[in-house]
Amino acid sequence: MELFAGAGGMSLGLKRAGFEVVQAYDSWAPAVEVYRRNLGPHIWQADLKDIFHVGPMITALAPDIICGGPPCQDFSSAGERIEGERAALTRAFAMLVCIARPSWFLMENVPRAAQSQAWADARAMLVKAGYGLTESKLDASFYGVPQIRKRLFVVGRLGEADGFLESALAAARTDRPMTVRDMLGDALGDAFYSHPRMPGKRGVWSTEEPAPTMRGSSRRPMPPSYQPHPGDAAILERGAFFTRPYHTGRGVRTIDEPAPVIVRTSRERPRPKDLAMPHPADAMHPSQAAVLSQTHVSRIQGFPGNWDWSAANSRDTDQMIANAVPAALAEAIGRVIRAREAGESIPEIQGRFGQWLRQRGFSKPAVRNAKSRVNRARRLLLGRTFGDAAAEQASLETVDGFASLSVAIRSDLRAALRLYAEWRGDPPKAKRKPKVDASNHEMIAA
Ligand SMILES: C[S@@+](CC[C@H](N)C(=O)[O-])C[C@H]1O[C@@H](n2cnc3c(N)ncnc32)[C@H](O)[C@@H]1O
């Protein structure tokens, strides 16, 4: 189930990760139509503030997971940051999760949302309803997206200990950020076209090898057979592109970098002031750099080149593109969730557990043993962590394979999990202090 589905970036990624999206909701007619044309008829136009109406519908569908990116304008650095009705939709997301109680939920928002009153209230409701939370700020460029886009992702699972998916999300990162050249290379089948200077010379070059020297003649348009995405040749040849700078930031980047975060105005041409006062670190003068097309920004956001935007006007399309969760990022998170659901991954032992044991007089080999027993117990528990230590012990007794272990091993595994739970109990509980203030409670009560 996806709430606030927009044009479908997140749904697309989750589908690629193997999810079946049974129902999606958004209140904006053009977004609903774009979603429908590309992903299917399972989207409904509905105002998600109307919890009396939507709550029972969602509950009846009994989803395994509820996903969604509630509007972020009230939190985002570009907005005015007054928490109003749009921020309240973060609370609506949490309320709908609490009403339907799926095993999992996934919420996306801008990083600043983490400090908002709306999220503090939403979080308190979700914790009270029994969800363990992983709150991670992820940069899309390390998850298959050629764009530096940092976003808050909260993954919740009923009964888990907080932080249960953090290490798995970190492990899914790529070693280096994806660049625009990586994306363009893919589009051209890992090759790019440079018009040959002499008959019989090569026109297609691998993105892995040094480019041919660029001369006037190599700027000729590509022959039709090399045009899966019109406009790619210009970017490849110029080697740099312009995006509307944010405040006093850079406007021109090379294609060997990720793009900056895509916003509604990213593809606008340089203004007179951008041309008159280029940023000192710009890769070239803005007048020389390629300007991105709407298809480019759509692809940088992870939509396929043939995504059908025809249901929306150009301005709305720019807004929907900017709003989206890049599909590759949603896909990566979706795969991490599915692997844990299937018991194929276990959380890494966190931080200072070893040090904590050493302070309690454990020798180095005893620390190693304790850690490997925690891991073994976790594998038996199919990767589950438990917010409640007693529930964890009880669950261990019933999992496949535990009863057949020797008495000594069973006792070691119980003891290791107890120790880990004891260690976790101290610092993480303190982190969970609800960030609510009385004035806001009055607002909710009203
Ligand atoms: C950040 S966008 C979501 C983008 C989407 N996750 C994607 O990947 O394409 C937020 C969406 O919330 C929708 N929205 C805003 N207010 C709403 C409401 N009251 N009920 C339902 N949807 C709403 C907007 O139309 C917008 O499409």
Side-chain angles (χ1 to χ4, degrees):
M1 167 95 45
E2 188 177 349
L3 311 180
F4 310 102
M10 194 190 235
S11 275
L12 173 65
L14 293 173
K15 279 183 77 169
R16 285 182 180 158
F19 286 67
E20 180 199 356
V21 185
V22 293
Q23 189 68 63
Y25 297 90
D26 201 283
S27 60
W28 190 21
V32 168
E33 194 46 36
V34 170
Y35 186 108
R36 184 173 287 134
R37 288 188 191 183
N38 289 282
L39 289 163
H42 56 273
I43 179 143
W44 286 22
Q45 189 177 350
D47 184 342
L48 292 168
K49 277 198 307 293
D50 190 357
I51 288 179
F52 289 149
H53 179 59
V54 184
M57 264 201 284
I58 294 180
T59 308
L61 285 166
D64 298 315
I65 179 165
I66 293 182
C67 306
C72 60
Q73 290 92 334
D74 290 355
F75 314 127
S76 70
S77 42
E80 288 170 10
R81 290 206 298 283
I82 297 165
E83 290 192 32
E85 192 175 286
R86 285 182 295 204
L89 290 167
T90 293
R91 294 189 191 95
F93 179 90
M95 287 180 195
L96 289 167
V97 170
C98 292
I99 291 169
R101 276 178 71 81
S103 304
W104 293 81
F105 74 83
L106 166 64
M107 192 195 82
E108 178 258 4
N109 217 308
V110 291
R112 277 175 198 267
Q115 278 88 47
S116 68
Q117 187 61 47
W119 171 237
D121 292 340
R123 192 178 191 284
M125 287 186 260
L126 293 161
V127 168
K128 186 95 178 159
Y131 287 93
L133 305 179
T134 290
E135 298 169 74
S136 291
K137 289 177 191 165
L138 306 178
D139 176 352
S141 68
F142 286 93
Y143 293 87
V145 182
Q147 179 193 164
I148 298 174
R149 186 181 188 88
K150 294 177 186 157
R151 288 291 181 266
L152 170 71
F153 286 88
V154 183
V155 188
R157 190 180 187 189
L158 277 174
E160 290 293 308
D162 286 346
F164 67 99
L165 210 60
E166 230 166 71
S167 58
L169 289 171
R173 269 171 65 107
T174 52
D175 294 337
R176 68 162 179 89
M178 183 173 175
T179 66
V180 170
R181 189 193 291 279
D182 294 331
M183 178 189 87
L184 297 169
D186 271 356
L188 292 177
D190 283 331
F192 69 94
Y193 178 79
S194 169
H195 197 82
R197 286 182 64 222
M198 308 230 288
K201 292 275 181 201
R202 274 167 80 189
V204 178
W205 295 74
S206 161
T207 51
E208 299 297 317
E209 61 191 327
T213 318
M214 293 297 172
R215 294 169 204 276
S217 62
S218 50
R219 293 185 193 280
R220 285 197 215 152
M222 279 182 169
S225 55
Y226 296 126
Q227 278 189 337
H229 291 285
D232 283 357
I235 300 188
L236 284 162
E237 282 185 11
R238 291 176 189 226
F241 58 95
F242 175 82
T243 48
R244 177 65 68 88
Y246 186 62
H247 289 315
T248 54
R250 285 163 67 200
V252 182
R253 284 169 172 76
T254 75
I255 58 174
D256 293 307
E257 302 174 69
V261 65
I262 295 296
V263 295
R264 192 178 50 75
T265 53
S266 286
R267 68 187 183 87
E268 287 179 9
R269 294 181 171 279
R271 297 158 293 190
K273 71 171 184 184
D274 301 320
L275 295 170
M277 284 185 301
H279 192 277
D282 274 355
M284 63 176 62
H285 192 270
S287 61
Q288 301 299 309
V291 174
L292 299 174
S293 65
Q294 195 167 54
T295 310
H296 283 131
V297 288
S298 164
R299 282 161 59 209
I300 289 172
Q301 273 287 53
F303 290 102
N306 60 357
W307 199 254
D308 180 358
W309 294 104
S310 62
N313 66 32
S314 185
R315 191 186 157 84
D316 287 350
T317 300
D318 283 330
Q319 186 63 60
M320 285 175 213
I321 293 171
N323 281 351
V325 176
L329 176 56
E331 180 182 348
I333 297 170
R335 287 188 189 283
V336 168
I337 290 174
R338 290 199 71 203
R340 182 59 57 83
E341 168 72 22
E344 291 163 5
S345 80
I346 60 167
E348 251 172 43
I349 290 180
Q350 289 170 5
R352 305 217 157 86
F353 178 52
Q355 249 168 290
W356 182 84
L357 289 175
R358 292 281 286 152
Q359 282 157 10
R360 271 156 189 74
F362 280 61
S363 66
K364 279 189 181 164
V367 169
R368 264 199 306 279
N369 281 340
K371 285 182 174 176
S372 83
R373 285 169 190 152
V374 170
N375 283 334
R376 184 165 178 190
R378 286 263 176 277
R379 280 194 292 276
L380 286 168
L381 289 164
L382 300 177
R384 296 223 56 166
T385 64
F386 288 76
D388 175 355
E392 185 165 68
Q393 292 284 330
S395 183
L396 187 63
E397 299 299 327
T398 60
V399 294
D400 281 353
F402 189 71
S404 58
L405 299 173
S406 72
V407 173
I409 293 177
R410 274 184 285 161
S411 157
D412 285 346
L413 297 187
R414 284 187 202 109
L417 274 191
R418 257 198 309 273
L419 272 173
Y420 195 66
E422 195 187 326
W423 170 74
R424 237 180 25 203
D426 301 332
K429 281 274 187 293
K431 272 195 232 146
R432 228 185 203 191
K433 251 198 309 205
K435 296 176 223 149
V436 280
D437 70 43
S439 57
N440 203 56
H441 274 156
E442 278 161 28
M443 194 182 88
I444 293 168

